[in-house]
DNA sequence: CATAATATCTGACTTTAGTCAGATAAATTA
DNA sequence: TAATTTATCTGACTAAAGTCAGATATTATG
């Protein structure tokens, strides 16, 4: 006898709906209705355009207006016309608003920390939560163009290198490989994309150009928790789109047979195997794609 | 650089709060407000005592009364006085109510199935969800005394045997071990406990008596997803309590050194190692505890 | 048996969330 | 420049959820 998978999903839903109130609706407990707290929170997290907040929270314009007015009356936010378009308004926290926002943040963080420390195997719990969050949030994954030296990007690269050293029989040492110059992965020469899921980086890809008509795909990585969602293909497509924008005519990449799922992806999306085109010690397989 | 664990928990919370609406609040979409739908759902899942539903859903008595009246007016439920206490009321579904409840169930099940089939690795996703659900629902785990031949119990025993065959160097075959008679694990001779978390079995323990003053602890098992929550100890304590109720003076158990965490638990909770007391081929370590 | 406690119900409220039809002002387009 | 579109605001509403003070009937207790 095995347990019904559907019953397991529904048990998860029940567990989550009865506890997440305590986890995330910590909005409550500071004497403010959920609606106002959500708006304050959105502004605190950097959303300033009123229309963007409205879109993000799915609110009616009338309701939004009243919620903003309420927060303004409480002295937590102030709104000013948008500098480029006086129809739009921009909201930002006042001093009092920032301290109130920090109080919400502290509460949320304390609850999150408490939840982790109550568990005997927090690392395993986190991995499971990452997997579930990626599956639930798959529709909200956004690709951001980023400087490869940014924290998010460096995190992805670090995980990528760690994975290569786990999977290559003789390990992997970045310093022996040709680490692309950051400037080659920034426009106008190239680009670097980070996939963000609810604020956390879960994948990346680099487009390394040299100013000519040929560029290279580098550092394609997807977090273990986000595999199986079609993210690698999405990253590759986005990189190709940018390459076309940069008038690049052909792409190349090098890879290793210890990464069969990557090769599978390349072969399934229009890439052809070619001769070795560099003397990097790690790759053993080389691909090209005409744009 | 590693990701902040707290940021990861909070990302999970965001992912869950924005999606679980779609997963569990399928209450909506059938033209009934959430409150009524929750009550209908509770009754459909077997809660009949009005006070119990009120407690479970955390509702005010006035609100509860009105919700019940509303469902009654729609012909979905009927309420009768409790046979033992005419102050209390008992609610149950009418024919129309049952069909409405089934419609909600079908919706929920379809959504759960859809979520699973959209994922490339459903088994891994389910394991992650189990782990998270057990951690979130740890406060709602209840121990139920059950007939060991019941489905839930048989599921736990099957998982227990499977785990033994994975962990013992030479595997495990129930038929070679002395499988306790079910009657020895049912009152008045003994008992069998199943730990239930939001409706799913996640652990068990058997108290095998022979009518005398000595009984044995058998089949202590906790699902991998529920380890680290202190459940094994809780099961053991409950089994000891029942043993005392049955006037048992001492408990014994046999175990194997391939299960070190179990031995650790016994040693930490008042058990002492003793000489072999049976000729079962699998155990190599034996414990006793005076009650 | 009188009194207290308990479970539910009723009526009169409040708060929160949300809808919808204009009003207003600014920006865009023809 | 006139007409249209866009972003926000205001007023007037509704629905849902929840609170609270009794009313009522029943059961438990001294």
């Amino acid at each position: 006898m095995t347990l019904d998978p559907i019953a397991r999903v529904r048990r998860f839903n029940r567990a989550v709906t009865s506890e997440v109130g305590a986890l995330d609706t910590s909005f409550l407990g500071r004497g403010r209705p959920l609606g106002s707290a959500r708006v304050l929170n959105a502004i605190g997290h950097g959303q300033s355009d009123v229309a963007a907040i409205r879109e993000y929270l799915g609110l009616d314009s009338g309701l939004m207006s009243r919620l903003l007015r309420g927060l303004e009356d409480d002295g937590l936010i102030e709104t000013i016309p948008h500098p480029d378009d006086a129809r739009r308004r921009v909201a930002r926290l006042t001093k009092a608003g920032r301290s109130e926002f920090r109080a919400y943040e502290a509460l949320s963080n304390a609850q999150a920390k408490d939840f982790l420390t109550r568990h005997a195997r927090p690392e395993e719990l986190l991995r499971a939560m990452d997997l579930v969050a990626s599956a639930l949030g798959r529709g909200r994954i956004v690709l951001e163009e980023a400087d490869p030296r940014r924290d998010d990007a460096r995190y992805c690269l670090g995980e990528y290198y760690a994975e290569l050293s786990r999977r290559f029989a003789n390990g992997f040492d970045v310093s022996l490989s040709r680490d692309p110059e950051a400037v080659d992965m920034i426009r106008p020469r190239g680009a670097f994309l980070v996939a963000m899921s609810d604020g956390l980086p879960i994948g990346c890809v680099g487009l390394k150009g040299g100013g000519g008509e040929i560029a290279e795909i580098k550092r394609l990585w997807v977090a273990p928790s986000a595999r199986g969602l079609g993210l690698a293909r999405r990253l590759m497509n986005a990189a190709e789109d940018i390459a076309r924008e940069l008038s690049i005519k052909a792409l190349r990449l090098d890879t290793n047979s210890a990464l069969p799922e990557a090769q599978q992806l390349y072969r399934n999306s229009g890439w052809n195997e070619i001769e070795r085109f560099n003397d990097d010690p790690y790759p053993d397989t080389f691909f090209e794609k005409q744009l």
Side-chain angles (χ1 to χ4, degrees), chain A residues 141-150 152-157 160 182 184-187 190-196 200-208 216-222 231-243 245-246 251:
Chain A
I141 296 171
V142 291
L143 307 189
E144 288 180 10
E145 220 177 306
D147 186 311
R149 289 161 298 193
R150 200 177 81 178
D152 288 340
R154 280 179 37 233
Y155 165 76
C156 292
L157 291 171
Y160 172 76
D184 287 338
M185 298 200 291
I186 299 177
R187 292 192 195 233
F192 194 82
L193 291 168
V194 178
M196 301 291 291
L200 288 196
I202 55 165
C204 67
V205 71
L207 175 70
K208 178 197 164 197
E216 266 184 76
I217 294 290
K218 304 291 287 181
R219 280 49 180 141
L220 175 65
W221 173 76
V222 173
L231 184 54
R233 172 160 269 155
R234 202 173 140 199
L235 282 163
M236 288 293 281
N237 288 341
E240 286 178 23
D241 288 345
I242 294 176
E245 281 175 34
L246 299 179
L251 290 173

Side-chain angles (χ1 to χ4, degrees), chain A residues 244-260:
Chain A
R244 285 193 199 87
E245 281 175 34
L246 299 179
S247 310
I248 285 162
K249 299 281 178 289
L251 290 173
R252 299 193 301 195
L253 64 84
D254 58 34
T255 185
N256 187 292
S257 38
L259 308 170

Side-chain angles (χ1 to χ4, degrees), chain A residues 12-91:
Chain A
F12 174 83
N13 294 350
R14 272 194 298 277
V16 151
T17 38
S18 48
E19 287 304 313
V20 158
L23 282 170
D24 208 63
T25 318
S26 69
F27 297 115
L28 302 168
R30 286 191 65 81
R32 203 179 315 285
L34 184 62
S36 313
R38 293 212 305 157
V39 172
L40 184 71
N41 205 44
I43 299 172
H45 275 107
Q47 304 236 238
S48 56
D49 227 90
V50 168
I53 301 170
R54 215 150 67 67
E55 159 77 16
Y56 173 63
L57 298 176
L59 296 175
D60 172 87
S61 67
L63 181 52
M64 181 74 205
S65 183
R66 260 176 284 267
L67 291 173
L68 285 175
R69 227 44 63 230
L71 289 169
E72 230 166 14
D73 292 349
D74 291 349
L76 299 174
I77 65 165
E78 50 193 12
T79 61
I80 53 168
H82 192 287
D84 299 344
D85 181 347
R87 290 171 304 183
R88 292 153 68 192
R89 307 218 106 215
V90 172

